[in-house]
Amino acid sequence: GAGVSQSPSNKVTEKGKDVELRCDPISGHTALYWYRQRLGQGLEFLIYFQGNSAPDKSGLPSDRFSAERTGESVSTLTIQRTQQEDSAVYLCASSSARGAYEQYFGPGTRLTVT
Amino acid sequence: QKEVEQNSGPLSVPEGAIASLNCTYSDRGSQSFFWYRQYSGKSPELIMFIYSNGDKEDGRFTAQLNKASQYVSLLIRDSQPSDSATYLCAPHSGNTPLVFGKGTRLSVIA
């Protein structure tokens, strides 16, 4: 079946602009995660949605970052007033709440802030 | 603070050899353990996971888990140049996100 999809695949924006990144999880997956990966670095957890529960926002680096999820489907990560240090690949993953909780990743959105 | 430690590498092995990738974790409540492979410029892909102490084999890959020592490893037999990638270890507990290590970069030399 279809995997996790993300759009856009690449985004170049000017410092100070707002950006929205989109994630479509695997159908039926109740959990959705956002990560950030700077060049040559590890995965940095940002936010986690599980069903109708309140999201775990503990990884969001500042109040410029926010995310929403509509039910158990699409999620949008919004970065306001982008800064150059926001340049990274933003990865979305989803998992089923049953079984092993293994996460499946989308291809990512490469964000470049100029 | 849940910590996951991996040797960053690079770990260089000759083609056909066994590559051994190691990971230690701090959260004793971790119940399952995932190994992901990430090629340069790509997103992580799941290789395998293990729940129970001991070994779990899947093709050329074997995951080994020792919960008492808080240690999990991944062995790759008959290593191929196409195995060259960064390997991420991720313990999991409860209904929480995976905690990823920074990964070990493996280079298989032809």
Side-chain angles (χ1 to χ4, degrees):
Chain A
V4 178
S5 61
Q6 292 186 245
S7 61
S9 55
N10 279 284
K11 176 72 176 179
V12 180
T13 190
E14 292 180 354
K15 177 181 173 181
K17 301 282 190 184
D18 298 352
V19 295
E20 283 189 355
L21 312 180
R22 177 187 167 107
C23 173
D24 277 278
I26 292 172
S27 178
H29 278 190
T30 58
L32 186 148
Y33 315 79
W34 284 99
Y35 294 87
R36 178 170 70 180
Q37 189 171 36
R38 292 192 168 112
L39 186 64
Q41 302 298 308
L43 292 169
E44 179 185 2
F45 165 73
L46 297 177
I47 188 169
Y48 160 51
F49 296 90
Q50 173 59 278
N52 294 319
S53 301
D56 176 355
K57 303 180 182 179
S58 60
L60 294 179
S62 77
D63 59 8
R64 296 187 296 105
F65 288 73
S66 62
E68 293 184 349
R69 187 180 186 195
T70 307
E72 293 184 352
S73 61
V74 171
S75 176
T76 302
L77 177 69
T78 301
I79 309 173
Q80 295 178 309
R81 305 180 304 281
T82 51
Q83 304 294 312
Q84 288 187 331
E85 63 261 28
D86 299 334
S87 296
V89 175
Y90 289 82
L91 291 161
C92 175
S94 70
S95 69
S96 169
R98 294 181 296 278
Y101 295 92
E102 62 267 32
Q103 296 180 8
Y104 296 92
F105 283 84
T109 293
R110 182 175 299 277
L111 175 66
T112 303
V113 182
T114 61
Chain B
Q1 182 80 5
K2 299 177 182 178
E3 295 183 352
V4 181
E5 297 290 336
Q6 295 184 258
N7 188 323
S8 62
L11 172 66
S12 294
V13 299
E15 184 175 358
I18 296 174
S20 178
L21 304 160
N22 305 316
C23 173
T24 58
Y25 58 94
S26 64
D27 181 9
R28 285 195 171 274
S30 298
Q31 299 157 334
S32 51
F33 303 83
F34 298 84
W35 282 100
Y36 284 80
R37 176 176 62 199
Q38 187 174 25
Y39 291 114
S40 181
K42 300 295 185 183
S43 59
E45 58 179 321
L46 180 66
I47 297 175
M48 63 188 304
F49 58 88
I50 185 168
Y51 290 116
S52 304
N53 279 327
D55 295 0
K56 179 182 179 182
E57 187 174 317
D58 184 359
R60 295 188 297 112
F61 299 96
T62 298
Q64 299 176 316
L65 174 61
N66 183 328
K67 290 185 180 179
S69 300
Q70 295 174 252
Y71 175 90
V72 58
S73 65
L74 180 70
L75 302 179
I76 307 174
R77 288 184 300 283
D78 187 22
S79 296
Q80 301 297 309
S82 59
D83 295 327
S84 298
T86 297
Y87 289 79
L88 306 171
C89 168
H92 179 254
S93 61
N95 192 15
T96 60
L98 295 179
V99 178
F100 286 88
K102 294 192 186 305
T104 297
R105 188 155 59 92
L106 172 67
S107 178
V108 181
I109 310 300

